[in-house]
Amino acid sequence: MSKKVKFQTPTGMHDILPEDQFLYEKIWRVVDDVAAFYGFGKIETPLVEDAALFEKGTGGTTDIVEKQMYTLKTRGGDMLALRPEFTPGIVRSYIQHGMIALPQPVKLYAYGPLFRYEHPQAGRFRQFRQVDFEVFGEQSAALDAQIIQIFYVILKELKFSHLIIEVNSIGDNQCRPYYKKLLSGYLRPRQNSLCADCRRRIRENPLRTLDCKEEKCQRVRSQAPQLIDHLCEECKNHFKSLLEFLDETDLPYHLDPYLVRGLDYYTKTVFEIFSEQTMKTTGEGGEVVQRNALVGGGRYDGLVHLLGGKDVPASGAAAGVERIVSFLKEMEFAAAPAPVARIFLAQLGDLSKKKSLRLLEEFRKAKIQIAESLGRDSLRTQLARADKLEVEYTAILGQKEVLDGTIVLRKMDTGEQETLKLEKVVEEIKERLRK
Ligand code: AMP
């Protein structure tokens, strides 16, 4: 005998059930409002793009491309990838649609699912959602500060209280190559104290050793030379100007000289926003502060050109939606406000059940929220449900009423009943509810 197959969501992916939809909708609402205020236009790009777009854009030596990308070969032989991040697709769209001809800066935002082949763990999924904001055509640090401010405001609107912004500058083509050499020179004699990945990174991309989570690598890192001490004049001024803008907006930021972010395309500004939560430990009344990365972003002045466009400076960031949702759930964010029905429709017998569908639609058109229990046959069960919903009236449609073209209206608090003409019932109820 064959075993029954039990299908599950693929590893690291999840359903969003009706009872959780309101949390996501709440986030979309806040994001849409903030975006509209700051003049961002919404963009939707395909879930799949040419795999080469990410290999080139996100970067061949990044974890995202090297280890986490879902690629597929189409029947026509094209190599596509499920998008692991928004930025390259939006840059492609900016170039493809000639947005350079529009008044700059061009401000775009998006939200939706992304895919990364991660080791699933708390807050890390293989299909997750991000909210993404990008600005093209402006090199001023004011725009970097505005992107940071926008994400900070979104999180504040969603009632986050303990937020920390970490900022850094990772320089540009002028100053970074020299720093990379300096860093490799520092790391090489210490490579035996590094993890295997970081030993490889010394050759391929030494900056990536700075954001390694391994404790031994962090120990080596703590004495490493810092990029901000080796910025060229232009990057130094840009960073100084960013900090001045942040001071002016009163955003609570820290400078983290080892923040590099995992992507190749960043230039100058990089930043992350964390929420901090104090968690109780099982030991004697101990507490630990847990940090949760919610937003990551930065400036990417070379990416538009790299992907075939003109030399257009740009800046952007993305927030992890599932992590925001899990916070909202922990905050016991008010449950979804269920639509409150003031009327219940009870039906008896097949004929009235058939009439009920049309009648319900008439109530919908009249914008009267009405509850029903079409699957039930007994009047008692239906009235019990109506009681539970605390409706004011129950309209009862029996076999006899259908034949007579009438309906019984029961006032729930007094139990009084009267018979109305079926064709008039919607109008009549509307009138009563208005009183
Ligand atoms: P990144 O695109 O890697 O810079 O990430 C930006 C934000 O997206 C992070 O701070 C997280 O909040 C969220 N994020 C990134 N990867 C995942 C994932 N695999 N699952 C859930 N959220 C993620």
Side-chain angles (χ1 to χ4, degrees):
M1 226 170 57
S2 69
K3 240 171 105 189
K4 221 172 174 184
V5 185
K6 244 184 167 174
F7 290 112
Q8 302 272 323
T9 44
T11 308
M13 304 193 182
H14 58 100
D15 299 316
I16 305 175
L17 299 175
E19 60 266 32
D20 285 339
Q21 290 292 342
F22 79 103
L23 294 163
Y24 289 82
E25 278 155 18
K26 163 108 193 143
I27 297 171
W28 309 147
R29 249 194 330 271
V30 169
V31 168
D32 287 337
D33 284 352
V34 173
F37 179 83
Y38 284 101
F40 282 72
K42 189 165 174 177
I43 184 163
E44 283 185 40
T45 58
L47 286 186
V48 291
E49 298 270 0
D50 226 318
L53 176 73
F54 301 108
E55 283 155 16
K56 202 164 178 178
T58 311
T61 62
T62 58
D63 278 357
I64 290 185
V65 170
E66 215 171 37
K67 301 181 188 161
Q68 300 177 333
M69 206 155 68
Y70 285 85
T71 46
L72 59 117
K73 199 166 177 181
T74 66
R75 285 164 195 263
D78 296 332
M79 274 309 278
L80 301 180
L82 297 186
R83 62 182 185 199
E85 58 150 343
F86 273 109
T87 309
I90 296 179
V91 171
R92 183 223 13 91
S93 183
Y94 175 89
I95 300 168
Q96 183 177 338
H97 299 284
M99 292 188 216
I100 182 110
L102 301 175
Q104 309 289 306
V106 171
K107 297 173 158 189
L108 301 170
Y109 81 107
Y111 43 75
L114 303 174
F115 303 84
R116 292 184 196 170
Y117 194 83
E118 307 250 20
H119 293 297
Q121 47 182 290
R124 205 161 271 288
F125 304 100
R126 290 184 176 173
Q127 180 182 339
F128 60 101
R129 284 147 199 81
Q130 278 187 346
V131 167
D132 185 271
F133 279 68
E134 313 283 355
V135 183
F136 295 93
E138 178 56 68
Q139 53 187 354
S140 161
L143 270 297
D144 304 1
Q146 188 172 57
I147 295 270
I148 297 176
Q149 185 185 27
I150 282 173
F151 278 96
Y152 186 78
V153 165
I154 289 172
L155 294 172
K156 278 291 186 192
E157 287 285 314
L158 292 167
K159 308 283 181 268
F160 278 82
S161 51
H162 297 92
L163 294 171
I164 305 288
I165 302 165
E166 301 278 9
V167 293
N168 191 23
S169 172
I170 58 165
D172 63 6
N173 286 343
Q174 297 294 315
C175 46
R176 206 183 318 158
Y178 169 72
Y179 173 74
K180 275 188 179 175
K181 267 194 208 141
L182 201 69
L183 182 62
S184 321
Y186 166 83
L187 294 171
R188 232 173 273 118
R190 296 169 177 82
Q191 54 182 304
N192 289 341
S193 313
L194 296 172
C195 73
D197 272 344
C198 280
R199 281 202 293 277
R200 184 171 49 83
R201 286 172 184 147
I202 297 178
R203 263 176 292 116
E204 291 173 1
N205 193 350
L207 279 191
R208 296 285 325 284
T209 56
L210 299 180
D211 69 354
C212 181
K213 301 285 174 283
E214 294 273 336
E215 216 181 307
K216 56 181 181 179
C217 301
Q218 294 197 349
R219 262 200 304 276
V220 174
R221 182 190 84 171
S222 64
Q223 302 296 320
Q226 299 184 355
L227 216 169
I228 42 169
D229 294 330
H230 302 278
L231 293 176
C232 61
E233 211 47 36
E234 187 186 320
C235 290
K236 203 187 291 172
N237 288 337
H238 188 93
F239 194 47
K240 199 167 144 261
S241 158
L242 172 73
L243 300 187
E244 283 164 10
F245 280 115
L246 294 179
D247 287 335
E248 202 54 47
T249 43
D250 274 344
L251 294 173
Y253 72 88
H254 290 163
L255 203 165
D256 175 355
Y258 296 115
L259 179 68
V260 287
R261 315 264 307 113
L263 309 175
D264 278 1
Y265 51 64
Y266 287 117
T267 49
K268 301 180 176 148
T269 310
V270 287
F271 76 93
E272 290 201 60
I273 305 182
F274 298 85
S275 80
E276 279 193 343
Q277 261 173 312
T278 310
M279 313 286 279
K280 297 229 174 320
T281 55
T282 41
E284 300 155 24
E287 287 182 340
V288 284
V289 178
Q290 210 180 40
R291 269 190 164 206
N292 206 353
L294 299 176
V295 182
R299 177 161 280 280
Y300 51 95
D301 288 344
L303 188 59
V304 180
H305 188 244
L306 181 73
L307 294 179
K310 295 235 165 67
D311 220 348
V312 178
S315 197
V321 172
E322 275 70 8
R323 295 194 191 173
I324 298 176
V325 164
S326 99
F327 168 85
L328 295 183
K329 274 187 179 169
E330 257 172 51
M331 290 276 291
E332 291 173 40
F333 212 78
V340 181
R342 294 169 71 188
I343 308 285
F344 188 88
L345 177 65
Q347 37 65 42
L348 295 161
D350 280 349
L351 197 55
S352 57
K353 207 175 273 197
K354 282 183 194 141
K355 283 275 179 214
S356 294
L357 291 180
R358 181 197 291 241
L359 189 56
L360 285 170
E361 179 53 20
E362 283 175 30
F363 277 105
R364 189 194 66 77
K365 282 192 194 143
K367 297 195 166 52
I368 300 173
Q369 186 70 47
I370 182 163
E372 43 73 24
S373 184
L374 283 184
R376 303 266 176 257
D377 291 327
S378 123
L379 183 60
R380 245 195 37 209
T381 341
Q382 293 183 72
L383 285 179
R385 172 118 183 95
D387 257 338
K388 206 163 166 202
L389 293 173
E390 297 178 2
V391 293
E392 288 160 51
Y393 295 96
T394 297
I396 305 167
L397 190 60
Q399 198 90 344
K400 176 174 169 301
E401 284 76 25
V402 174
L403 295 174
D404 292 353
T406 59
I407 191 163
V408 172
L409 191 65
R410 180 188 175 95
K411 196 157 186 300
M412 294 304 280
D413 54 354
T414 60
E416 271 170 77
Q417 298 198 161
E418 62 181 303
T419 304
L420 304 174
K421 277 209 154 43
L422 187 53
E423 68 206 31
K424 288 267 166 38
V425 67
V426 174
E427 225 173 280
E428 185 65 33
I429 286 179
K430 197 168 194 174
E431 192 54 37
R432 287 178 195 214
L433 292 180
R434 208 176 282 144
K435 284 177 192 157

